[in-house]
Amino acid sequence: MKLSLAEWGNQLHSGERTYAIVPKRKMWLSISAAALLVCLIVLFVKGLNFGVDFTGGNVYQVSDVANPDPAIAEEVIAENAPDQEARISILGEDDIRVQIGVVDIEVSRQIEDALAAAYDVPANQVSSDQIGPTFGAEVGKKAIQSLIVFLILVALVMTVYFRAWRMAVAGIIALVHDLIFTVGIYALVGFEVTPASVIGFLTILGYSLYDTVVVFDKVRENTENLTAQHRYTYDELANLALNQTLVRSINTSVVALLPVAAILFIGSFVLGAGTLRDISLALFVGMAVGTYSSIFVATPLEVTLRDREERIAKHTKEVLDMRASGKSDVVVDAEGHVRVGALQPGGHQGQGAQPKRKGRK
């Protein structure tokens, strides 16, 4: 029998259907650690393809050419600046962009004239721009400073909001996980790292944080009166929170990824627009990984840290001891995982078994 998305979501929210994400956290964290290791290896071996905004150099753009053949530009650079390595890209259908290292003014003018002649266009259709290495270094420095300030503020706000520093630590680790994974993909595909890429990196951190906070908020709601009951452990209630927010996370991600995927496709294969391509790749990868990390990294890691608290460890032992004595009516699935919220038929214990509510003033 096929379930609709709404029915599936209702079953997840009620506990009738559940996925053992937190109980299998060692597996998910191991998978994430392996993926991060691969990304780090790619970063160290292949490295990032930094654009001239970071390294400094000259950029030439030839507009409305009849024959946008990159080989023509390569030949021009080889003749006029043989010590430079040219990076050539086609923008749209008839624009050529050429990037090289820093050259003096005379050589730069020779290259402009040679490009105009080679592509048979007027001189005013060749534009050039020079970016010094000092400016590029300053851009990189500001980007790192922005990232550090962002992470510090996030840690402080999460600690105050959730009143639990372990949630802040888990959230920050998930953000770093997303950043390293996205940068590793950038290194793997060889896309150029530009200021637009940096904007994309910082944007995905905000998206990932939002998704993680939504899940953490549900974890806090489910465990607010943890010690007032002895049916479920902290781990089980946190796993319920993950299942309850699973459909929401999927829906939000799909809605966000579809337009970004369209921009990535158009920017890469239709317009050839570097800025659109750079920022959309960072957003696409970051959003997908951010959704994954909020479910399979942040919460399992937070549970691992919270299990070290004396109060939670003591409560978990009491719950497990009660089950061992046969005084608990929890439902256990075929794999031995507790289905939080579900009762055995006829197993409801009445109002007396429910947590006491505080009286209203």
Side-chain angles (χ1 to χ4, degrees), residues 210-223:
Y210 168 76
D211 216 23
T212 299
V213 167
V214 168
V215 180
F216 279 3
D217 208 38
K218 193 63 180 177
V219 172
R220 182 179 64 171
E221 178 184 331
N222 287 357
T223 60

Side-chain angles (χ1 to χ4, degrees), residues 29 68 128 132 136 168 215-216 235 261 272 304 313 324 340 346 356:
L29 292 176
S128 66
V215 180
F216 279 3
D235 297 31
T304 301
V340 182
K356 303 298 181 183

Side-chain angles (χ1 to χ4, degrees), residues 150-151 154 158 170-180 204-210 212 293:
F150 177 83
L151 293 178
V154 165
M158 289 187 69
I172 293 297
I173 292 176
L175 290 180
V176 174
H177 165 276
D178 299 342
L179 184 62
I180 293 176
I204 63 171
L205 293 180
Y207 179 88
S208 176
L209 176 65
Y210 168 76
T212 299
S293 69

Side-chain angles (χ1 to χ4, degrees), residues 23 32 42 56 70-71 85 96 119 131 143 151 164 168 177 182 185-186 190 217 234 291 298-299 301 304 358-359:
S32 298
V42 171
E85 180 180 352
I96 294 288
Y119 283 105
I131 300 173
L151 293 178
H177 165 276
T182 305
I185 294 296
Y186 246 81
D217 208 38
Y234 185 91
T291 301
T299 305
L301 187 58
T304 301
K358 295 181 180 180

Side-chain angles (χ1 to χ4, degrees), residues 281-302:
L281 177 65
L283 290 175
F284 185 84
V285 176
M287 286 180 176
V289 177
T291 301
Y292 168 85
S293 69
S294 65
I295 298 172
F296 298 103
V297 177
T299 305
L301 187 58
E302 187 269 343

